[in-house]
Amino acid sequence: QHRALALPTDRRIVIEHYRDLMNQTRVIIHNPFGRRINRTWLLAIEHQFKRLLPYKMYGNAKDNGIELVLPEWDASWLKTLWHITPESIEPLMTEAIAGSPLLAIAFRRIAETS
């Protein structure tokens, strides 16, 4: 990883993309922020891309990054990621959480304990 690109740090996020054997594009956002932050960030990314794409993309949040799987890819779409800023995250998440499975899980958990 270090020879090919760079290592992610708390100040540098590394993004790579490639075509897999199924001819789908995989975009990997390497970062050291952990699953909790990455899951939230993925929800925001999915919501941003929902506005851009006519189909739903697949995403997976992990401890060391986010994986996006798309049938096609245009490098200009990376600009979409930069629209997710500290200033835009609250309204974006308010919109995104309504259709999220995270809301259903939290609701069920609260209902079970009450």
Side-chain angles (χ1 to χ4, degrees):
Q1 179 77 29
H2 183 64
R3 280 192 315 247
L5 295 168
L7 293 176
T9 68
D10 62 337
R11 297 190 161 277
R12 177 178 47 214
I13 296 169
V14 177
I15 300 175
E16 67 175 302
H17 59 90
Y18 62 93
R19 300 287 266 171
D20 65 11
L21 296 174
M22 302 295 289
N23 205 28
Q24 292 190 325
T25 301
R26 297 197 178 245
V27 179
I28 313 297
I29 304 169
H30 300 279
N31 67 64
F33 303 134
R35 188 178 307 249
R36 233 172 128 181
I37 297 292
N38 286 334
R39 197 177 297 145
T40 305
W41 193 14
L42 174 61
L43 190 59
I45 291 170
E46 286 176 332
H47 192 67
Q48 279 289 86
F49 273 91
K50 189 164 96 174
R51 297 173 177 172
L52 178 69
L53 303 174
Y55 52 83
K56 184 169 174 21
M57 68 173 200
Y58 170 77
N60 188 14
K62 300 178 181 180
D63 286 334
N64 57 356
I66 298 170
E67 174 188 32
L68 308 174
V69 182
L70 302 134
E72 55 190 53
W73 177 249
D74 183 341
S76 69
W77 295 350
L78 284 176
K79 293 177 188 172
T80 302
L81 297 176
W82 309 137
H83 290 288
I84 302 170
T85 63
E87 294 77 29
S88 72
I89 194 70
E90 187 172 344
L92 186 61
M93 290 305 296
T94 302
E95 291 175 23
I97 198 75
S100 164
L102 295 176
L103 179 63
I105 291 167
F107 182 81
R108 271 188 244 117
R109 189 176 303 143
I110 292 168
E112 288 173 0
T113 58
S114 62

